Amino acid sequence: AVKRIGIIGTGIMGTDHARLLTEAVSGAVVAGVFDLDTERAAGAAASSGGARVFADPYELISDGGIDAVLIASSDATHEAFVLACIEAGKPVLCEKPLAPTVEGCARILEAETAHGSRLVTVGFMRRYDPGYTDLKTLLKDGAVGAPLMLHNVHRNPAAVPGLPDAAVITNSAVHELDVTRWLFDEEIVEVTVHRPRATAQGGGTQDPQFLILRTASGVLSDVEIFVNARYGYEVRCELVAEAGTVTLDAPPPTSVRRGGLHARELPGDWRPRFAEAYRLELQDWIDGTGGGATAWDGFAATFVAQACVAALESGERHSVDLPPVPALYR
Amino acid sequence: AVKRIGIIGTGIMGTDHARLLTEAVSGAVVAGVFDLDTERAAGAAASSGGARVFADPYELISDGGIDAVLIASSDATHEAFVLACIEAGKPVLCEKPLAPTVEGCARILEAETAHGSRLVTVGFMRRYDPGYTDLKTLLKDGAVGAPLMLHNVHRNPAAVPGLPDAAVITNSAVHELDVTRWLFDEEIVEVTVHRPRATAQGGGTQDPQFLILRTASGVLSDVEIFVNARYGYEVRCELVAEAGTVTLDAPPPTSVRRGGLHARELPGDWRPRFAEAYRLELQDWIDGTGGGATAWDGFAATFVAQACVAALESGERHSVDLPPVPALYR
Amino acid sequence: AVKRIGIIGTGIMGTDHARLLTEAVSGAVVAGVFDLDTERAAGAAASSGGARVFADPYELISDGGIDAVLIASSDATHEAFVLACIEAGKPVLCEKPLAPTVEGCARILEAETAHGSRLVTVGFMRRYDPGYTDLKTLLKDGAVGAPLMLHNVHRNPAAVPGLPDAAVITNSAVHELDVTRWLFDEEIVEVTVHRPRATAQGGGTQDPQFLILRTASGVLSDVEIFVNARYGYEVRCELVAEAGTVTLDAPPPTSVRRGGLHARELPGDWRPRFAEAYRLELQDWIDGTGGGATAWDGFAATFVAQACVAALESGERHSVDLPPVPALYR
Amino acid sequence: AVKRIGIIGTGIMGTDHARLLTEAVSGAVVAGVFDLDTERAAGAAASSGGARVFADPYELISDGGIDAVLIASSDATHEAFVLACIEAGKPVLCEKPLAPTVEGCARILEAETAHGSRLVTVGFMRRYDPGYTDLKTLLKDGAVGAPLMLHNVHRNPAAVPGLPDAAVITNSAVHELDVTRWLFDEEIVEVTVHRPRATAQGGGTQDPQFLILRTASGVLSDVEIFVNARYGYEVRCELVAEAGTVTLDAPPPTSVRRGGLHARELPGDWRPRFAEAYRLELQDWIDGTGGGATAWDGFAATFVAQACVAALESGERHSVDLPPVPALYR
Ligand SMILES: [Mg+2]
Ligand SMILES: [Mg+2]
Ligand SMILES: [Mg+2]
Ligand SMILES: [Mg+2]
């Protein structure tokens, strides 16, 4: 049976998801959309083969013609919509962050626990990227032995000038917080944030930042997060282990020799880089095979991000004291 | 409306296609399958969500519950099944070759012309490979200027010992014949085949072979085809043009440092290498947007392959005198 | 006029230097050698075209037939031999470290200052590596804008089991301390050392270690130093700047496809990796054009290394309070 | 004892050789120079530490203060100067070609045979390139099994407009003729030359050209020679063997990320690409260890080049019927 999906928020991400669900995913149709900008919603509905445009997101969530909900609206709205989905007993895929505050995430954990089964998936799409899954497979298969370090680089060409320092962590580095937890299957227990010389291109933002994350078993995961790197979008990492290392750099299939250079193109932003990850994430969500990030993962990402923000401000090491994992997520 | 697909032939390729249509393509279901091996057919049907198993392939083709047909049976059967699909007025995706002989291909051209519109797509999946489409886009955009040469390498780890020399061309190099025609949008007009020293691993086959193809505008496309290359599966090419070159090598996303080497893994066969191409080919076929190889392309590939076989035997240059393109394919 | 070189210490490094001076450097002969192991000295002398074997290193230094001295003996002996060279007014190339202690280095600075001109060169050969000089040229030419970070990786396949933690810094990471100072033409002012999970292959050594160095202008240089990395020898870095990055990875000229892998070989130790650097270092020293590391550079390297050792032990950030640069070295 | 070298011809190559002999080679001095342009000769002499400027090249050759001669004058003069060196009994390193005609090369073989020992080395410097020697070592060590094919690419950014078609072979592709003979230690017995569509940038020259060389054991070596490739200078090859392949591409040590590209720089011409080869060639020649190309190699290169020119003109396969190797060169 084809799943009828409702999408809340039809900005860049929501529109991309609508397109993928319509054109590239098996077993799904976009049945409803909502956006504060009704024209934008109408456009997304039209290109999704005639989805219904809802005037109220809560109506969409509770409508009998909607089997599951995808939330791609602004961060501040995530909590309320996710809670409404749980209330309605419907599966929900929520773009990261699950909620901007630890408290908001905690309320979702409570609601889902009260509901008694998992309904929430958080859109940490890198868990579906073929490069990251390849890396994790190699690690799990023991190809390079026990892990010791992970070096991460995460660069965007440009951010809003004067972006708050904390947002560099909560918006961008949060992906590496999740990657670190997911790859090693353990929690981050301590964080330090170093301040390199800041680029003059950032309008005053502390950019780049250099995070040092320690996992429960002692693995050190360092993250260069640089949101005004100018030259292009790039996400890379190297796993360092006892018998070797694995590098994820995801080169494109072609290279060009021209004008004195032998070059491969870099993507301009995250969408071409993670296009396949988004498709696989959506297909997996539709299949209901449950491979994505849970509400607990969303909570932990926000929790660790807050610790990193505190560490950035203090310049000190901060321990990360996550509460015990609720039974539903073990 | 979801398209109901019938699959004839559920060997390796047919089963892969059934899986993709079921799990990774939007807008399709596998509604029927046929295979001489009824157990194999039943297995494919079961994993396709309960497709009907047909006892007769022609029944499948004419059945009212089948909208379109995918042919992945043995090469010798392609012609008859394709003709039956045309007779039934149903779209058909036929694995290469369209037919093993020029005469067989010609009969299909005639039947489709008599039918009056295009129904046949030939499964030259490389036309959908992101690397090849990237290459063609760069060429069409003028990124490196006018084309002069194309160097192709096509290696398989192992073939049947003593494979006939001609089969190296008709089974394997035929992909490069199609790539050359597709990339440059023109016909191959002359071919030469050189005989390098043969590997001792081929059981007597002339392997590798080295084809030199000349297109109508004079571009030279050389092809090293080596079906007992042992070390892995690899398809690469370099386009040489007036202002630069484009190389397609499609590296995997990760590399490993271990045991004194920094290495990227090579695929073991063509399926992982072209997995994305197959998915996109099927999606495009289901969408009916008509980007695939036509019956004329299938005819031309077989025609040029026959000229290459003759050139291999004679050691001389052979001109390729294709008949005029029928109106339906212009 | 050909320079007559005396070599003190004919172990691995001294013998390599003797060979290079004899066979690959213009304008030099090895005229004298000394080693505690007289047989080893005799061997080095013989393969250097008949150099004189000295029974006493101080005799070698003061001998009228020796124009300049190369010191490749054990670390603890460096100070005394360098001081004797200064005393004799002879140019001296001393393998790193200049002296194992800050105090020993300081005594050399004083002696050279008293002498009134520079005689001492410290063997930080990376300053001559074509990759590092390429990197510095790109930085100085503004190819990627103002520098912000430098990520360094320095791996050896194996170290003595149970190597003291401090030796990982003073023997190995000291190269990155010098590289950081040399590349950015400024001093390191603050250091932190993180302790990743230690490899089980190190016999108890804290290995790898992760150093964070801050320069006077705020550039952050991080160093993964890993002396039991098993898989091979590797030195890499990436300079991150305002408009782009430069990566130094020095791939070998060939790659091999075999057994399912496309691989480049990694060197087994530092000598093949830096063979060209050693040759250029020696040629420059013989030419007397003065491009190498000075006694001040040797002092600073030891000084910063000591700060890193303290930071490793405390787990805290340590500021590095170098004394003012003596006039001779400005 | 230091060898006193006389250089005939102080154009680009002669000046480069003079500099290397003076600054980077052990055991040599430039003692004399000759050039038709006396000012240019005086400049080369001055920067070689005061070499004598000769007014007559034959005087230089016969002068008692010259131990060996390096010939870097125009191609047409090579034969006479080499013959004079043989007459004088002096070792001579002659830039390729040994002589532009087969007959000229034959006269040198006769003269050297009459002399009774080898004096002549031909400057096929690629035999000293670390990439090519690495490739040969891998082949000889059996790393990839028995050889079957060699794919060569040889590109220059620009040639004289309207360069004669034959010169593309005799000036440029001649390097691959020598490489093929040297790598496989056997003669080329058959050649074919294909004409790809010519670039509009060559002023009428048949450029690129595509050579197919067959060795005595049946190995096929194909050569794309393209002297107006515009984008840069590049020499690459891939050896295809029974168990794997070896690629020589000689990447530079650094890469740059900038402006949407991850790129490595390509050299602008052959001198930076083969700088190390030239140094090692000269050092080996000075050492007299005899690893370079002999007069027979020079003869064979010119002989095969002539066959290729004939094959280019006829469009047919040409067999290459070299005379028996004279005893002196076996
Ligand atoms: Mg996301
Ligand atoms: Mg196919
Ligand atoms: Mg050193
Ligand atoms: Mg040359």
Side-chain angles (χ1 to χ4, degrees):
Chain A
V2 169
K3 278 195 188 144
R4 298 163 301 173
I5 307 303
I7 298 180
I8 297 177
T10 54
I12 292 178
M13 285 306 309
T15 301
D16 265 14
H17 286 319
R19 185 182 50 75
L20 287 169
L21 287 169
T22 304
E23 298 176 4
V25 165
S26 174
V29 292
V30 177
V33 300
F34 167 81
D35 198 284
L36 282 178
D37 179 336
T38 52
E39 213 169 313
R40 200 160 73 170
S47 58
S48 300
R52 176 176 160 199
V53 179
F54 284 83
D56 178 331
Y58 296 99
E59 247 179 76
L60 177 152
I61 290 169
S62 59
D63 192 274
I66 299 293
D67 299 317
V69 179
L70 193 158
I71 299 175
S73 49
S74 62
D75 294 1
T77 67
H78 289 185
E79 180 188 347
F81 293 151
V82 170
L83 290 173
C85 290
I86 295 171
E87 178 78 24
K90 293 190 180 172
V92 55
L93 172 60
C94 181
E95 273 299 301
K96 61 97 191 157
L98 179 56
T101 66
V102 170
E103 295 70 26
C105 293
R107 284 187 288 267
I108 290 170
L109 293 184
E110 279 162 42
E112 202 176 27
T113 292
H115 174 77
S117 70
R118 294 189 203 171
L119 291 170
V120 180
T121 303
V122 182
F124 283 120
M125 78 291 185
R126 290 198 196 169
R127 295 175 175 223
Y128 292 93
D129 175 64
Y132 275 107
T133 54
D134 199 8
L135 173 64
K136 186 161 183 175
T137 300
L138 286 161
L139 174 62
K140 294 303 162 194
D141 289 354
V144 288
L148 306 173
M149 300 194 75
L150 181 72
H151 302 302
N152 302 277
V153 160
H154 179 168
R155 297 173 188 149
N156 287 276
V160 174
L163 185 77
D165 295 354
V168 174
I169 293 169
T170 57
N171 286 358
S172 295
V174 68
H175 278 291
E176 274 76 20
L177 303 183
D178 184 63
V179 157
T180 298
R181 296 181 62 253
W182 165 80
L183 181 64
F184 300 116
D185 274 329
E186 57 177 355
E187 297 298 348
I188 293 164
V189 299
E190 190 190 80
V191 298
T192 317
V193 181
H194 292 267
R195 294 172 177 265
R197 180 176 165 188
T199 179
Q201 310 297 317
T205 304
Q206 171 58 55
D207 182 39
Q209 297 180 16
F210 196 55
L211 284 61
I212 316 280
L213 318 169
R214 181 182 302 278
T215 71
S217 73
V219 174
L220 222 63
S221 175
D222 57 273
V223 184
E224 179 213 306
I225 173 77
F226 187 10
V227 297
N228 290 284
R230 286 296 178 267
Y231 73 83
Y233 179 80
E234 194 166 31
V235 165
R236 274 184 289 140
C237 68
E238 183 180 18
L239 169 70
V240 183
E242 292 198 351
T245 84
V246 183
T247 295
L248 160 58
D249 58 357
T254 58
S255 61
V256 175
R257 286 165 163 89
R258 185 172 46 182
L261 299 177
H262 180 197
R264 290 192 196 262
E265 267 197 44
L266 295 160
D269 66 34
W270 76 97
R271 283 175 301 159
R273 171 65 184 85
F274 289 111
E276 184 72 355
Y278 283 119
R279 184 182 70 79
L280 293 167
E281 177 187 60
L282 289 173
Q283 186 70 65
D284 188 56
W285 181 57
I286 294 300
D287 295 347
T289 41
T294 65
W296 170 256
D297 296 318
F299 171 87
T302 296
F303 194 98
V304 180
Q306 288 312 117
C308 289
V309 170
L312 170 70
E313 280 159 13
S314 75
E316 305 291 321
R317 302 190 185 204
H318 279 240
S319 62
V320 179
D321 300 306
L322 277 165
V325 187
L328 184 59
Y329 307 104
R330 273 174 219 154
Chain B
V2 168
K3 279 199 186 139
R4 299 163 299 174
I5 308 303
I7 298 180
I8 297 176
T10 55
I12 291 179
M13 286 306 308
T15 300
D16 264 14
H17 286 319
R19 184 182 50 74
L20 286 169
L21 287 168
T22 304
E23 298 176 5
V25 165
S26 175
V29 293
V30 178
V33 299
F34 168 81
D35 198 284
L36 280 178
D37 179 336
T38 52
E39 212 168 314
R40 201 161 72 170
S47 58
S48 300
R52 176 176 159 199
V53 178
F54 284 82
D56 178 331
Y58 296 99
E59 245 179 78
L60 177 151
I61 290 169
S62 59
D63 192 274
I66 299 294
D67 299 316
V69 178
L70 192 158
I71 299 174
S73 50
S74 61
D75 293 2
T77 67
H78 289 185
E79 180 189 346
F81 293 150
V82 170
L83 290 173
C85 289
I86 294 171
E87 177 79 24
K90 293 190 181 173
V92 54
L93 173 59
C94 180
E95 272 301 302
K96 62 93 190 162
L98 178 57
T101 66
V102 170
E103 295 70 27
C105 291
R107 283 186 289 268
I108 291 170
L109 293 185
E110 279 162 41
E112 202 176 27
T113 292
H115 174 78
S117 69
R118 295 191 203 169
L119 291 169
V120 180
T121 303
V122 183
F124 283 120
M125 77 293 183
R126 289 198 195 169
R127 294 175 174 224
Y128 292 93
D129 175 63
Y132 276 106
T133 53
D134 200 7
L135 172 64
K136 186 162 183 176
T137 300
L138 286 162
L139 174 61
K140 294 302 163 196
D141 289 355
V144 288
L148 305 173
M149 299 195 75
L150 182 71
H151 302 302
N152 301 276
V153 160
H154 179 166
R155 297 173 187 148
N156 288 275
V160 174
L163 184 77
D165 296 353
V168 174
I169 292 169
T170 57
N171 286 357
S172 295
V174 68
H175 279 292
E176 274 77 19
L177 303 184
D178 184 63
V179 158
T180 298
R181 296 180 63 254
W182 165 81
L183 181 63
F184 300 117
D185 274 328
E186 56 177 357
E187 297 299 347
I188 294 164
V189 298
E190 190 190 80
V191 299
T192 317
V193 181
H194 293 267
R195 294 174 177 265
R197 181 175 165 189
T199 178
Q201 310 297 317
T205 304
Q206 171 57 55
D207 183 38
Q209 297 179 15
F210 196 55
L211 285 62
I212 316 281
L213 318 169
R214 181 183 300 280
T215 71
S217 73
V219 174
L220 223 62
S221 175
D222 56 274
V223 184
E224 178 213 306
I225 174 76
F226 188 11
V227 298
N228 290 284
R230 285 296 176 269
Y231 73 83
Y233 179 81
E234 194 166 32
V235 165
R236 275 184 288 140
C237 66
E238 182 180 19
L239 169 70
V240 183
E242 292 198 351
T245 83
V246 183
T247 296
L248 160 58
D249 57 357
T254 58
S255 61
V256 174
R257 286 165 163 89
R258 185 172 46 181
L261 299 178
H262 179 198
R264 289 192 196 261
E265 266 197 44
L266 295 161
D269 66 35
W270 77 97
R271 284 175 301 159
R273 171 65 185 84
F274 288 111
E276 183 71 354
Y278 283 119
R279 184 182 70 79
L280 292 167
E281 177 187 61
L282 289 173
Q283 185 70 66
D284 187 56
W285 182 57
I286 294 300
D287 294 348
T289 41
T294 65
W296 170 256
D297 295 319
F299 171 87
T302 295
F303 194 99
V304 180
Q306 287 313 115
C308 289
V309 170
L312 171 69
E313 281 158 15
S314 74
E316 306 291 321
R317 301 189 187 206
H318 278 240
S319 62
V320 179
D321 300 307
L322 277 167
V325 186
L328 185 60
Y329 307 102
R330 274 174 218 156
Chain C
V2 169
K3 279 199 186 139
R4 298 164 301 173
I5 308 303
I7 297 179
I8 297 177
T10 55
I12 291 178
M13 285 306 308
T15 300
D16 264 13
H17 285 319
R19 185 181 51 73
L20 286 169
L21 287 168
T22 304
E23 298 176 5
V25 166
S26 174
V29 293
V30 178
V33 299
F34 168 81
D35 198 284
L36 281 178
D37 179 336
T38 52
E39 211 167 314
R40 200 160 72 170
S47 57
S48 299
R52 176 174 160 202
V53 178
F54 283 83
D56 178 332
Y58 296 99
E59 247 180 74
L60 177 152
I61 290 169
S62 59
D63 191 274
I66 299 294
D67 298 318
V69 179
L70 191 160
I71 298 175
S73 51
S74 62
D75 294 1
T77 66
H78 288 186
E79 180 189 348
F81 294 151
V82 170
L83 290 173
C85 290
I86 295 171
E87 178 77 24
K90 293 190 180 172
V92 54
L93 173 59
C94 180
E95 272 300 302
K96 62 93 192 163
L98 178 58
T101 65
V102 170
E103 295 70 27
C105 292
R107 285 187 288 268
I108 290 169
L109 292 185
E110 279 162 40
E112 201 176 28
T113 292
H115 173 78
S117 70
R118 295 190 201 169
L119 291 169
V120 180
T121 303
V122 183
F124 282 120
M125 77 292 183
R126 288 197 198 171
R127 294 175 175 224
Y128 292 94
D129 174 64
Y132 275 107
T133 54
D134 200 8
L135 173 63
K136 187 161 182 176
T137 299
L138 286 162
L139 174 60
K140 295 302 165 195
D141 289 356
V144 288
L148 305 172
M149 301 195 73
L150 182 72
H151 303 302
N152 301 276
V153 160
H154 179 167
R155 298 173 187 149
N156 288 276
V160 175
L163 184 77
D165 295 353
V168 174
I169 293 168
T170 57
N171 286 358
S172 296
V174 68
H175 279 291
E176 274 76 20
L177 304 184
D178 184 63
V179 158
T180 299
R181 296 181 60 254
W182 165 80
L183 181 63
F184 299 116
D185 275 328
E186 57 176 355
E187 297 298 348
I188 293 164
V189 299
E190 190 189 82
V191 298
T192 316
V193 181
H194 293 268
R195 294 173 176 266
R197 181 177 164 187
T199 178
Q201 310 296 318
T205 304
Q206 171 59 54
D207 183 40
Q209 296 179 15
F210 196 56
L211 284 62
I212 315 280
L213 318 169
R214 181 184 300 278
T215 70
S217 72
V219 174
L220 222 63
S221 175
D222 56 274
V223 184
E224 180 214 304
I225 174 77
F226 187 11
V227 298
N228 291 284
R230 286 295 176 270
Y231 74 83
Y233 179 80
E234 195 167 31
V235 165
R236 275 185 289 141
C237 66
E238 182 180 18
L239 169 70
V240 183
E242 292 198 350
T245 84
V246 183
T247 295
L248 160 58
D249 57 357
T254 58
S255 61
V256 174
R257 284 168 165 88
R258 185 172 46 183
L261 299 177
H262 180 199
R264 291 191 194 261
E265 266 197 44
L266 295 160
D269 66 34
W270 76 97
R271 284 175 301 159
R273 171 64 185 83
F274 288 112
E276 184 71 353
Y278 283 119
R279 183 182 71 78
L280 292 168
E281 176 187 62
L282 289 173
Q283 186 69 65
D284 188 55
W285 182 56
I286 294 301
D287 295 348
T289 41
T294 66
W296 170 256
D297 294 320
F299 171 88
T302 296
F303 194 98
V304 179
Q306 287 313 116
C308 289
V309 170
L312 170 69
E313 281 159 14
S314 75
E316 305 291 322
R317 300 188 187 205
H318 278 239
S319 61
V320 179
D321 300 307
L322 277 166
V325 187
L328 185 60
Y329 307 102
R330 272 172 220 155
Chain D
V2 169
K3 278 197 186 139
R4 298 163 300 173
I5 308 304
I7 297 179
I8 297 178
T10 55
I12 291 179
M13 285 306 308
T15 300
D16 264 15
H17 286 319
R19 184 181 52 74
L20 286 169
L21 287 168
T22 304
E23 299 176 5
V25 166
S26 175
V29 292
V30 178
V33 298
F34 167 81
D35 197 284
L36 281 178
D37 178 336
T38 52
E39 212 167 312
R40 201 160 72 170
S47 59
S48 299
R52 177 175 158 199
V53 178
F54 284 82
D56 178 331
Y58 295 98
E59 248 179 75
L60 178 151
I61 290 169
S62 58
D63 191 274
I66 299 295
D67 298 319
V69 179
L70 192 159
I71 298 175
S73 49
S74 62
D75 293 1
T77 66
H78 289 186
E79 180 189 347
F81 294 150
V82 170
L83 289 172
C85 289
I86 295 172
E87 178 78 24
K90 292 191 182 172
V92 54
L93 173 59
C94 180
E95 272 300 303
K96 61 95 190 160
L98 178 56
T101 65
V102 170
E103 295 70 25
C105 292
R107 284 188 287 268
I108 290 170
L109 293 185
E110 279 161 41
E112 201 176 27
T113 291
H115 174 77
S117 69
R118 294 190 202 170
L119 291 170
V120 180
T121 303
V122 182
F124 282 119
M125 76 292 182
R126 289 198 197 169
R127 293 174 176 226
Y128 292 94
D129 175 64
Y132 276 108
T133 54
D134 200 8
L135 173 64
K136 187 162 182 175
T137 300
L138 286 162
L139 174 62
K140 295 302 163 194
D141 289 355
V144 288
L148 305 172
M149 300 195 74
L150 182 72
H151 302 302
N152 301 275
V153 161
H154 179 168
R155 297 173 188 148
N156 288 277
V160 174
L163 185 76
D165 295 353
V168 174
I169 293 168
T170 57
N171 287 359
S172 295
V174 68
H175 279 291
E176 274 75 21
L177 303 184
D178 184 63
V179 158
T180 298
R181 296 181 62 253
W182 165 80
L183 181 64
F184 299 117
D185 275 328
E186 56 176 356
E187 297 298 348
I188 292 164
V189 299
E190 189 189 80
V191 298
T192 316
V193 181
H194 293 268
R195 295 173 177 265
R197 182 176 164 187
T199 178
Q201 311 296 318
T205 304
Q206 172 57 55
D207 182 40
Q209 296 179 15
F210 196 55
L211 285 61
I212 315 280
L213 318 169
R214 181 182 302 278
T215 71
S217 73
V219 174
L220 222 62
S221 175
D222 56 275
V223 184
E224 179 214 306
I225 174 74
F226 187 10
V227 298
N228 290 285
R230 286 293 177 270
Y231 73 83
Y233 178 81
E234 194 166 31
V235 165
R236 277 183 287 139
C237 66
E238 182 180 18
L239 169 70
V240 182
E242 291 198 350
T245 84
V246 183
T247 296
L248 160 57
D249 58 355
T254 58
S255 61
V256 174
R257 284 167 165 88
R258 186 172 45 181
L261 299 177
H262 180 199
R264 291 191 196 261
E265 266 196 45
L266 295 160
D269 66 35
W270 76 96
R271 284 175 300 158
R273 171 63 185 84
F274 288 111
E276 184 71 355
Y278 283 119
R279 184 183 70 78
L280 292 167
E281 176 187 60
L282 289 173
Q283 186 69 65
D284 187 55
W285 181 57
I286 294 300
D287 295 347
T289 39
T294 65
W296 170 256
D297 295 319
F299 171 88
T302 295
F303 194 99
V304 180
Q306 288 312 117
C308 288
V309 170
L312 170 69
E313 282 159 13
S314 75
E316 305 291 321
R317 302 190 187 205
H318 279 240
S319 63
V320 179
D321 300 307
L322 277 165
V325 187
L328 185 59
Y329 308 102
R330 272 173 220 153

